[in-house]
Amino acid sequence: MKCVRCKAKGIIYLKRHNAAFCQDCFLYYYKNQVKKNIKRYKMFDKKDKILVVISGGKDSMALWHVLANEGYSVTGMYINLGIGQYSDKSQQVVESFAQKSGLELIVKDIKKEYGLDIYKLSKLLKRSTCSICGSIKRYLFNKVAYDGGFSVVATGHNLDDEAATLLGNVLSWEEGYLARQSPVLESTHQKLVKKVKPLYTLTERENLFYVLINKIEFLHDECPHATGARSILYKEVLNRLEEESPGTKQRFITSFLEKGRKHFQDVYEKIELKECISCGQVTTTEICSFCRFAQILKQNKEV
Ligand code: Q46
Ligand code: ZN
């Protein structure tokens, strides 16, 4: 197995590209993919102030590292979601990396700062912890970015995540979600910050290689609520398809973006946006879910 670029001994084989790379050429390939994605979707440039959402896992750590190393102006943002040891450990990993690398980091703690508890909310609202957690994260990414004058929010979603999400959305024809599934979501309101996914063509395995080669610390554990999630089943199904037909995931995503997504565009444009009467952030209802969560917990203190 020789490296396709320099013919040295290959250390990683990428089946979907039918190509092996040595360490240096893999890094070249990886950075090139990131640069191409940024350019293809006009995600940002060196003048932009980028808020990178960091969970402490391999994908977000790889994204933070690669963007900082390419000379972009990046600040990490970590949210402590109050998920027991998982949150404590991930916060430690993220803070230690920021300190050692001299990178700026904003830390938010939903319990300490906002009195929110995803478990109590899940019980009171009879909704899954992931759906509560997702709403809180989306709210805070945008709020912190908007208040801090950031022009773009970048997340570490990879090819496996994007393909699994697309499969889930297609299976139930979630038109609203399909309309929003894109490596770049331009702002549609002056208080909404643009969102981008520069790693959307790179797999989990490639991100893992990137962090291992660069000796970047990351949290190996998954969030305990990720197990059993529907997205894991979709990932397994897609992995099976990928084994039989390498390149399936990438084709699924790229053909959706090129040919499929435009059919849902009007759904996206029709979403009516308002400003929350309590906090002023953008929402589709009178009061945003974040403010509603805080109210519900206040009214149900004994839970
Ligand atoms: S952090 Fe939150 Fe995820 Fe954990 S509780 Fe679910 S949504 S799984 S990406
Ligand atoms: Zn609000």
Side-chain angles (χ1 to χ4, degrees), residues 81 83 86 118 129-131 133-134 137 223-226:
L81 296 154
I83 306 175
Y86 167 76
I118 59 169
T129 41
C130 285
S131 111
C133 173
K137 287 195 288 189
C223 169
H225 302 293

Side-chain angles (χ1 to χ4, degrees), residues 236-253:
E236 284 168 8
V237 171
L238 286 159
N239 284 342
R240 179 78 189 85
L241 290 168
E242 186 76 24
E243 247 175 61
E244 291 294 323
S245 173
T248 299
K249 290 180 204 174
Q250 191 145 359
R251 279 194 302 276
F252 187 36
I253 284 293

Side-chain angles (χ1 to χ4, degrees), residues 139 275-283 286-292:
Y139 175 91
E275 288 185 19
C276 169
I277 51 165
S278 172
C279 71
Q281 279 286 297
V282 180
T283 173
E286 281 294 284
I287 179 156
C288 74
S289 46
F290 191 89
C291 291
R292 205 160 47 85

Side-chain angles (χ1 to χ4, degrees), residues 72-237:
Y72 289 102
S73 158
V74 286
T75 298
M77 177 193 178
Y78 171 82
I79 306 175
N80 187 314
L81 296 154
I83 306 175
Q85 277 197 347
Y86 167 76
S87 288
D88 299 338
K89 277 203 241 168
S90 52
Q91 184 167 344
Q92 270 172 19
V93 167
V94 173
E95 284 179 334
S96 139
F97 179 74
Q99 205 184 13
K100 282 185 202 153
S101 319
L103 292 170
E104 275 179 50
L105 173 69
I106 297 171
V107 175
K108 293 278 159 193
D109 188 311
I110 65 159
K111 249 188 195 162
K112 288 185 194 151
E113 276 178 64
Y114 305 99
L116 295 180
D117 182 319
I118 59 169
Y119 300 107
K120 283 185 185 169
L121 285 163
S122 158
K123 206 168 146 195
L124 287 164
L125 293 165
K126 297 186 178 52
R127 271 172 61 183
S128 73
T129 41
C130 285
S131 111
I132 306 277
C133 173
S135 299
I136 293 174
K137 287 195 288 189
R138 281 191 298 278
Y139 175 91
L140 285 176
F141 302 158
N142 192 74
K143 180 170 169 52
V144 170
Y146 177 73
D147 292 347
F150 290 90
S151 43
V152 59
V153 174
T155 55
H157 290 94
N158 58 44
L159 180 60
D160 303 79
D161 298 326
E162 290 302 287
T165 304
L166 180 57
L167 180 60
N169 289 338
V170 165
L171 288 176
S172 47
W173 290 113
E174 291 283 1
E175 292 180 308
Y177 291 139
L178 286 165
R180 282 195 297 269
Q181 184 160 0
S182 170
V184 59
L185 268 189
E186 294 291 345
S187 166
T188 48
H189 185 285
Q190 56 113 356
K191 285 188 175 176
L192 275 185
V193 181
K194 178 177 176 177
K195 313 276 179 328
V196 297
K197 299 170 183 171
L199 306 185
Y200 84 99
T201 56
L202 289 152
T203 62
E204 281 179 7
R205 180 169 168 257
E206 287 155 36
N207 290 335
L208 178 64
F209 249 78
Y210 182 85
V211 291
L212 292 176
I213 291 172
N214 286 292
K215 300 187 173 54
I216 301 164
E217 299 162 65
F218 68 99
L219 190 71
H220 295 247
D221 316 352
E222 288 269 355
C223 169
H225 302 293
T227 36
R230 199 49 74 84
S231 59
I232 294 190
L233 174 62
Y234 296 151
K235 281 186 182 176
E236 284 168 8
V237 171

